[in-house]
Amino acid sequence: MTAPADQAGQAAPVDQAALLRRARRRVADGSADRAGGPPAAVPGPSATPVTSGSAAGPGRAVSPARGAGPVPRTSATGAAPLSHAQQRMWLMERLGQGGARYHVPLATRLRGPLDLDALATALTGLTARHAILRTRYGQRDERPYQETGPVVPIPVPVRPAAPEGTDPGSTDPDGTALLHAEAARPFDLATGPVLRALALRHAPDDHTVLLTIHHIAVDGGSLPILAADLAALYADAAGLRPEDLPEPGLPYADYARWERGRDDELAATAADRAAALTGARPLPLLRPVPPGTPDRRAALHGSPLAAGTLDDLRRLGARHGATLFAVVLAAAFAALRTATGEPDLVLGCAGGHRARPELRRLVGLQVNTLPVRAELPGGDPVFTDVLAAVRTALLDAQVHHDVPFDLVVERLGPAARGADGTPLLAVSCDLVGPSEPLTLPGLAAEAVDIDLGLAKFGLTLLVEDGPQPRCLLQHDPAALDEPTARRLHAAFAELLVAVAADADRPLSELPGSRLAAPPSPAGSVGPEHPAVAALLADPRVADAAVLAPDDGPALAYAVVRGPSAPGGTDLRAGLRRQLPPDRLPAAVTLMDTLPRHPDGALDPARLPGAPAAAPSAHLDAVLAAFGDLLGGRPSPDGDFFGLGGHSLVAVQLAERLRTGTGLPLTGLDVLEQRTPRALAGLLTTRAAERRSTATASAAAGVRTGTGRSTATRAGTVLLTGATGGVGAAVLQELVAQGRPVRALVRPESAHLVARSGVEVAEGDLADLDSLRRSVEGVDAVIHSACTFTEHAVDVAAMRALVDGWRGGAGFVFVSSVDAYGRPAPGEVAEGAPATGPVSPYGRAKAECERILRESADGRGPWTVVRSPLVWGPNRRLRDQLRWGATGALYQDALAGRPITLPRSAPEGGADWYGASWVHSAALARALAGGLTRAPGRVVNAVTGHVSWTDFATELVRLLGSAGAVTATEDADPELRRPWRYRADALAELLRPEPGEDWRAVLAAMTGPAG
């Protein structure tokens, strides 16, 4: 463990993955819906699991699933359903609550002659052996599915950890910041891949290898299998003496099909498990955390335990037929009983499905959350009586380890959350052990912890076993305040020590005291709605108002300011933490200005969603959709969770309403609004926003649409990738020019473009049918979408679009200068043939160009626009600056490390190395103009060229870094780019406008996000 901890229990940021990755068989995948945190992190590989998987003593294993035969291996191919655990992970991504919390980073320091080519070959072989590592996740008919992709090479990019001359005392000599940045880099589950690698070079024979895998593909039991297979594949690729590999385990898709085939049986058992939780309540110490909270930071309190304490606790368990974990869990229950005064508590722990022989070598997500409800004896019980009650409850939970917790949540209904929205299962307990490194033959290995600083549960109580045991408490500061967490940690640690010495003492004589519940939020003071004062207290809010009709929920409005202005969902999440539920507005709508009368008084009639303008059709449509999916006819103020809703229903409900109304809506909106009336109010607000946009556009002579039309407007341009960094700029340019646009976007992103008044086509590059539908009837296409890594998907998508295009005004494809390969130093003419080695990405772009060139001739003009680096003030482009081609330079500058650049080589014609770049707005102008300016040609879109020295020096200045910029012979070879790409055909459109110089755009990209 690398997170700091001391005797005083000083809090420090920590990632739950760094803790629970070590928990061999005890990793929970809890529910973020109503009864617990989202799926927990994954344990790391280990040769010696911590024996905490059962409540009973040694030799008492949990039996396989009841009443089910062996899991069959099938020859089925094609799409398969998601397992329940996978569906939970997929839903978190769709609801915007996934991200780095569900990344599994495995970092190992390897000293010795590491063969990087052999490692890349071995990783590719690993994905060939285990199809789950090359599986993508799509959606069809309101249901997710998984589908295996082809085997593609897994690259292992190499970056210097700390160039020579780094000062160990003032920088990051081990490259920790770079490892963290790589581990947090987003995955795209729809296109993949779900496995990536990075090697940091400390010295020629000293590397840190980081493998990052998405949790949807692995669990703790998978990692030792992958580690052993990778070692054997590496030995073979390196020409060493490999060990024989056993036959691969059961394909995960077969397991998912088998589990889904048992849904009726599992649902019946889930109803019994839900009944066993009837009347249980969330831990009263925790505050509710709004569903829309994107990042849940974690704090850790830790203190060492004496070497003999765990041995004494093991002996205590042995005397009472219990494992060490059962004793630790009993101590957690006892500490929380004393802190809250509640004898009836529910804690979560992890269960798995590997008791079956056929599943022991399966690679994939097989974890499940087990709710343990222990009703402790009344009065003042001794600790051994608490242990007996907890042991019994834990055994009961483990007998039903195969019952997916999400099914239990569904059947709990409103009982899955407290009245304030706190999940029933927001507290977990675990026993963890030391990390194990990835071992490769011929190399010395040392595990490296990666701390991403994120939490999944409101509170987790842990004990770390090993040579230096510790007591740990991790908490989300939004759910549990710092002073309370510190006192609870101290009580838990002292209680462990006390019961190890004497377990026959009553709880009243053990350490701990009653802790106060969180204070209730203050209500309204004075005649003004309290939400107004709360909003105005935020320095980013310039003006605010609340509309509170007598017959419906309050609606809030805010005018925001500044480069880091919040969104309406962010503001409402803040209000949820400050206001009681009956005073919480149903939505916060952002406006440029609030409508006011000439005397300055608010004009409520002109607010979006005002009662006079609210169409009843929205409420009727919402009530009908609620009824279809949840049964019956709900009350307009019925709570979504209370009616039996959960994450999958939220996604389905949003998609039905989005399709039926043509208005943008997401599953997260459903979780935020919760009632039909509030959801209808949000739809009304968005309809008003759309009407306002349409009115403004019409006044400017711009033709707009309000969703997918029955007849395509003449001159419609299909734009793919409309929410990407390039596509967003192109969309803005096309709308400004008055061009009718159909934007291809994923369903969950539809609201991001619908407000621009464009026609929305929902789809995905991997869904070829959606591409064919989207191109029907359009006159022109601007194809800017790209997966960047799944080259086969990109090529198939291009073929589908070109085949479906009927012809007309033109087809413009956004390609890359990578298609030129590595030409001779100097200027590169537009459309010049490729020379030198061409990257796989460049080859895929060239293949797409060929498809367009050969298929579009005769149907209309076509243009290929090759782009270099794209810079602009867009979140996606900011991410590319940080993690993409310039990521190593950015991260070095951010961490204050020396930035090593290649020394120029005038003797070879390379008197300059640097970046070719284009401003996103200029590229948008070029793409829109490319329909008519350069038909039948391959052209370049370049704003300018910046030397790496100037670029790095400016980064250091903008980031306030202490890093020095140096030039050496052994710098990253990828930076040896001595090319200046000519851009003649579109030069007029590319001419920089004010604010489009490279220094201005870098300042915008490195400043606070807007």
Side-chain angles (χ1 to χ4, degrees):
M1 302 274 307
T2 58
D6 55 33
Q7 291 277 8
Q10 176 65 36
V14 69
D15 176 26
Q16 192 172 10
L19 294 173
L20 302 190
R21 192 168 60 248
R22 309 164 183 196
R24 307 299 175 257
R25 294 178 292 178
R26 303 210 53 78
V27 179
D29 75 330
S31 168
D33 265 342
R34 297 164 296 167
V42 187
S46 170
T48 55
V50 172
T51 55
S52 60
S54 172
R60 301 190 184 184
V62 177
S63 63
R66 305 159 309 285
V71 183
R73 184 186 293 267
T74 75
S75 58
T77 58
L82 271 60
S83 70
H84 284 275
Q86 283 182 314
Q87 180 168 294
R88 171 65 47 210
M89 202 68 57
W90 178 84
L91 283 168
M92 292 300 102
E93 292 290 333
R94 288 298 299 269
L95 293 171
Q97 296 179 299
R101 283 180 289 180
Y102 303 114
H103 295 184
V104 184
L106 304 171
T108 302
R109 187 80 172 254
L110 296 170
R111 294 178 173 87
L114 174 64
D115 187 333
L116 290 164
D117 291 336
L119 179 59
T121 300
L123 286 169
T124 302
L126 196 68
T127 66
R129 183 172 168 83
H130 301 289
I132 191 65
L133 298 178
R134 49 188 165 88
T135 295
R136 69 178 188 88
Y137 302 87
Q139 183 181 11
R140 186 179 299 128
D141 298 327
E142 298 186 342
R143 288 279 176 180
Y145 66 89
Q146 58 182 307
E147 194 165 39
T148 301
V151 178
V152 298
I154 303 296
V156 184
V158 182
R159 295 180 180 175
E164 187 176 352
T166 297
D167 179 4
S170 60
T171 62
D172 179 19
D174 293 329
T176 303
L178 189 58
L179 291 173
H180 288 188
E182 171 65 13
R185 188 159 57 88
F187 284 100
D188 187 337
L189 297 183
T191 60
V194 294
L195 162 68
R196 61 174 180 255
L198 174 71
L200 291 190
R201 178 176 285 130
H202 305 279
D205 285 345
D206 186 2
H207 297 79
T208 295
V209 170
L210 171 65
L211 304 182
T212 308
I213 313 173
H214 198 284
H215 194 359
I216 199 170
V218 294
D219 62 3
S222 304
L223 300 182
I225 300 168
L226 293 176
D229 286 0
L230 183 62
L233 291 167
Y234 174 84
D236 184 49
L240 304 174
R241 184 178 177 180
E243 298 180 8
D244 292 335
L245 278 173
E247 285 297 314
L250 187 78
Y252 189 85
D254 283 349
Y255 166 76
R257 292 185 180 99
W258 172 82
E259 185 191 50
R260 287 296 180 175
R262 299 180 60 222
D263 268 358
D264 289 345
E265 171 195 347
L266 293 173
T269 310
D272 294 338
R273 301 308 299 160
L277 294 172
T278 300
R281 297 183 300 169
L283 188 74
L285 289 177
L286 299 182
R287 297 185 295 247
V289 178
T293 304
D295 292 323
R296 298 187 64 178
R297 311 308 299 180
L300 179 72
H301 299 264
S303 57
L305 293 171
T309 298
L310 293 192
D311 290 337
D312 290 340
L313 293 176
R314 285 189 179 90
R315 285 189 285 270
L316 168 62
R319 292 195 299 271
H320 294 270
T323 62
L324 174 60
F325 172 71
V327 177
V328 170
L329 183 63
F333 270 100
L336 293 172
R337 156 76 182 269
T338 300
T340 64
E342 296 287 340
D344 183 5
L345 297 168
V346 181
L347 272 67
C349 66
H353 306 311
R354 295 185 182 272
R356 292 173 165 273
E358 67 271 24
L359 299 182
R360 288 171 188 162
R361 287 197 54 79
L362 186 152
V363 172
L365 185 61
Q366 292 191 88
V367 293
N368 187 31
T369 295
L370 303 182
V372 180
R373 182 182 189 180
E375 298 187 52
L376 305 186
D380 188 16
V382 297
F383 181 78
T384 51
D385 290 342
V386 172
L387 175 59
V390 170
R391 177 184 180 278
T392 299
L394 179 57
L395 281 172
D396 179 60
Q398 289 170 331
V399 167
H400 302 92
H401 68 94
D402 59 320
V403 181
F405 185 60
D406 62 308
L407 294 182
V408 178
V409 169
E410 291 177 21
R411 278 142 190 83
L412 278 170
R417 280 185 182 266
D420 63 359
T422 301
L424 172 62
L425 197 59
V427 182
S428 65
C429 180
D430 219 325
L431 176 67
V432 299
S435 297
E436 295 291 336
L438 173 69
T439 57
L440 297 179
L443 300 166
E446 176 187 354
V448 177
D449 280 325
I450 303 296
D451 169 14
L452 296 179
L454 300 171
K456 300 174 185 67
F457 290 88
L459 172 64
T460 302
L461 300 169
L462 307 107
V463 167
E464 184 181 54
D465 198 357
Q468 297 178 325
R470 290 197 296 166
C471 173
L472 303 165
L473 182 147
Q474 187 201 54
H475 69 106
D476 178 352
L480 185 66
D481 64 88
E482 191 70 22
T484 303
R486 188 180 303 111
R487 292 175 62 193
L488 182 59
H489 164 257
F492 181 45
E494 292 168 8
L495 189 147
L496 287 167
V497 174
V499 299
D502 182 3
D504 292 319
R505 296 165 61 187
L507 294 189
S508 62
E509 296 180 8
L510 292 173
S513 61
R514 184 72 175 266
L515 301 178
S520 300
S524 174
V525 178
E528 189 174 65
H529 196 285
V532 174
L535 287 169
L536 292 175
D538 189 324
R540 302 169 298 175
V541 176
D543 200 1
V546 170
L547 184 67
D550 294 333
D551 58 349
L555 299 175
Y557 306 86
V559 177
V560 296
R561 58 190 171 193
S564 58
T569 299
D570 298 326
L571 291 173
R572 188 172 185 273
L575 292 178
R576 186 188 287 274
R577 290 191 288 268
Q578 301 177 58
L579 303 178
D582 62 337
R583 304 295 279 170
L584 181 68
V588 178
T589 300
L590 300 187
M591 303 184 70
D592 292 332
T593 59
L594 294 181
R596 296 188 181 277
H597 294 293
D599 63 356
L602 185 71
D603 183 0
R606 290 192 289 141
L607 288 170
S616 61
H618 287 149
L619 183 55
D620 290 342
V622 173
L623 288 171
F626 264 70
D628 289 344
L629 290 169
L630 297 172
R633 179 75 173 181
S635 160
D637 297 310
D639 184 84
F640 172 75
F641 295 123
L643 295 168
H646 50 85
S647 291
L648 181 58
V649 172
V651 172
Q652 293 171 338
L653 182 62
E655 290 178 356
R656 287 200 184 188
L657 290 172
R658 186 170 60 243
T659 301
T661 65
L663 294 169
L665 197 70
T666 68
L668 188 56
D669 290 329
V670 175
L671 297 183
E672 278 282 300
Q673 306 303 319
R674 294 181 61 164
T675 70
R677 194 189 303 277
L679 201 57
L682 179 63
L683 289 171
T684 297
T685 297
R686 290 184 175 169
E689 291 171 347
R690 174 170 288 172
R691 288 194 299 271
S692 175
T693 299
T695 300
S697 299
V702 177
R703 291 176 291 172
T704 64
T706 58
R708 190 64 183 269
S709 306
T710 56
T712 303
R713 293 166 288 163
T716 292
V717 180
L718 171 66
L719 173 63
T720 69
T723 58
V726 173
V730 177
L731 179 63
Q732 182 176 351
E733 178 67 22
L734 291 173
V735 170
Q737 292 183 11
R739 309 279 282 275
V741 182
R742 178 183 297 170
L744 177 70
V745 295
R746 292 180 181 167
E748 63 269 27
S749 302
H751 65 290
L752 299 176
V753 300
R755 296 182 186 183
S756 300
V758 303
E759 182 183 348
V760 175
E762 296 179 359
D764 184 84
L765 288 186
D767 184 351
L768 300 184
D769 289 338
S770 72
L771 298 181
R772 297 185 185 101
R773 288 192 301 270
S774 71
V775 80
E776 290 176 0
V778 302
D779 289 334
V781 177
I782 298 179
H783 181 30
S784 72
C786 178
T787 69
F788 293 99
T789 56
E790 289 293 317
H791 308 312
V793 172
D794 291 328
V795 172
M798 171 59 93
R799 191 174 298 281
L801 286 170
V802 172
D803 289 348
W805 180 50
R806 72 183 184 188
F811 193 122
V812 178
F813 172 54
V814 184
S815 188
S816 169
V817 295
D818 281 25
Y820 287 116
R822 300 186 70 85
E827 289 192 340
V828 180
E830 294 180 297
T835 57
V838 182
S839 68
Y841 173 67
R843 290 197 299 269
K845 287 293 190 181
E847 175 62 13
C848 290
E849 293 177 9
R850 184 194 65 78
I851 292 170
L852 176 61
R853 185 174 61 251
E854 295 180 358
S855 303
D857 278 338
R859 283 188 281 167
W862 58 267
T863 305
V864 170
V865 179
R866 289 183 175 177
S867 164
L869 296 176
V870 183
W871 292 341
N874 175 279
R875 180 181 61 82
R876 297 287 182 88
L877 299 178
R878 290 170 182 265
D879 288 345
Q880 289 177 23
L881 177 70
R882 288 158 169 78
W883 320 122
T886 56
L889 299 180
Y890 184 94
Q891 297 301 328
D892 283 344
L894 186 65
R897 292 189 295 265
I899 300 176
T900 303
L901 303 175
R903 183 176 291 121
S904 61
E907 66 280 1
D911 58 353
W912 173 89
Y913 290 125
S916 304
W917 72 282
V918 62
H919 195 286
S920 58
L923 178 58
R925 295 193 297 271
L927 294 172
L931 292 168
T932 56
R933 298 290 183 97
R937 295 183 57 185
V938 176
V939 298
N940 299 332
V942 180
T943 296
H945 303 83
V946 181
S947 73
W948 288 129
T949 299
D950 288 345
F951 173 79
T953 302
E954 187 67 7
L955 271 184
V956 167
R957 186 186 71 81
L958 291 170
L959 296 174
S961 171
V965 179
T966 61
T968 68
E969 298 294 339
D970 59 351
D972 185 353
E974 283 300 312
L975 297 177
R976 300 183 186 278
R977 307 184 70 84
W979 311 297
R980 291 179 172 88
Y981 300 95
R982 294 189 62 86
D984 301 322
L986 304 177
E988 181 182 349
L989 297 171
L990 291 166
R991 185 175 296 113
E993 295 187 355
E996 291 183 2
D997 63 282
W998 70 272
R999 285 189 171 86
V1001 72
L1002 280 184
M1005 295 174 75
T1006 55

